[in-house]
Amino acid sequence: MSSRTRTRVKSAAGIHTLHIPRQRGRRAEPFVVVIPERPTLTREAVGFVGRLLWRFRGALAPTFLALLAWPLAAILHALAWWSALALAPVAMAPVLWFGFVQLRRPARTAAVVWRAGLALLATASGGWLAFAAGFGPLAGPLPLLWLLAWLIAQTTWLVVRRAH
C-alpha cells in the first residue's frame, strides 16, 4: 500500500491509528480508523481485582481503614513524632464512652458485651496509632498488633453485617 493512501498518525500509547486521507470528489469526507491494542494480562488482572474490591467496598471497610492507618502512622512518625503525645489521650476516649453510655443507658448481656468489645477494639486501634506515630509502625510488636486488630475488626464487621 502506498504512503498516499495510508499515512500513520501519532496517538496515545497503546492505540494504533490509521488515517485515510481525504478522498477526491465533491462530498468525500475524511475518516479515521482507530484500532485499540489488546490489554495485557497484568492489566486485565489488576482491572479484575479493582472491580472486585469496588464491588465489596462496604464489606471491606475495616481493611481499607487499616491500610490507611499504616501510612498515616509512618508519616506522623517521620514528620511529627510528638503527635503520639496528643494521640495517647484520644486513644482512651472509647473507654470513657463505654463508661458514659453504661451510666446513661444501662444494658445487660449481649449489648454490654458488644459495647465493651467495640470500646476495647477502638482503644487498641487508637493505642496502636499513638505508639506507631511515636516509635514507627514497624517497631517491636506493632506489626503483629496491627494484624490482630485488623483481623478482629474485619471478622466482627462481616459478622455484624451478615446479622443485619
Side-chain angles (χ1 to χ4, degrees):
M1 202 176 255
S2 72
S3 63
R4 172 128 176 88
T5 58
R6 182 178 178 194
T7 58
R8 289 245 177 224
V9 177
K10 288 187 178 182
S11 61
I15 297 177
H16 300 290
T17 304
L18 179 68
H19 180 75
I20 300 174
R22 183 175 267 241
Q23 301 297 311
R24 294 185 184 164
R26 282 195 126 181
R27 306 279 294 172
E29 294 290 326
F31 58 92
V32 177
V33 178
V34 178
I35 305 164
E37 188 175 289
R38 286 191 171 196
T40 63
L41 187 59
T42 304
R43 183 166 182 233
E44 287 287 331
V46 168
F48 174 76
V49 169
R51 285 187 298 274
L52 199 63
L53 288 174
W54 183 254
R55 182 175 171 198
F56 296 108
R57 66 188 181 275
L60 295 174
T63 298
F64 295 139
L65 288 174
L67 292 176
L68 181 68
W70 197 278
L72 175 67
I75 290 169
L76 284 175
H77 174 67
L79 297 179
W81 63 267
W82 48 266
S83 64
L85 301 174
L87 288 172
V90 174
M92 293 306 295
V95 172
L96 297 174
W97 168 83
F98 176 68
F100 180 75
V101 168
Q102 268 311 105
L103 286 175
R104 300 283 282 167
R105 293 180 178 254
R108 292 194 180 104
T109 61
V112 174
V113 171
W114 276 106
R115 287 177 185 174
L118 182 63
L120 181 67
L121 185 63
T123 301
S125 299
W128 180 89
L129 186 60
F131 277 116
F135 299 109
L138 295 175
L142 289 178
L144 179 63
L145 292 174
W146 175 85
L147 182 68
L148 289 174
W150 167 70
L151 282 173
I152 292 169
Q154 183 64 53
T155 305
T156 304
W157 182 260
L158 291 174
V159 167
V160 169
R161 282 178 54 93
R162 174 133 332 188
H164 292 281

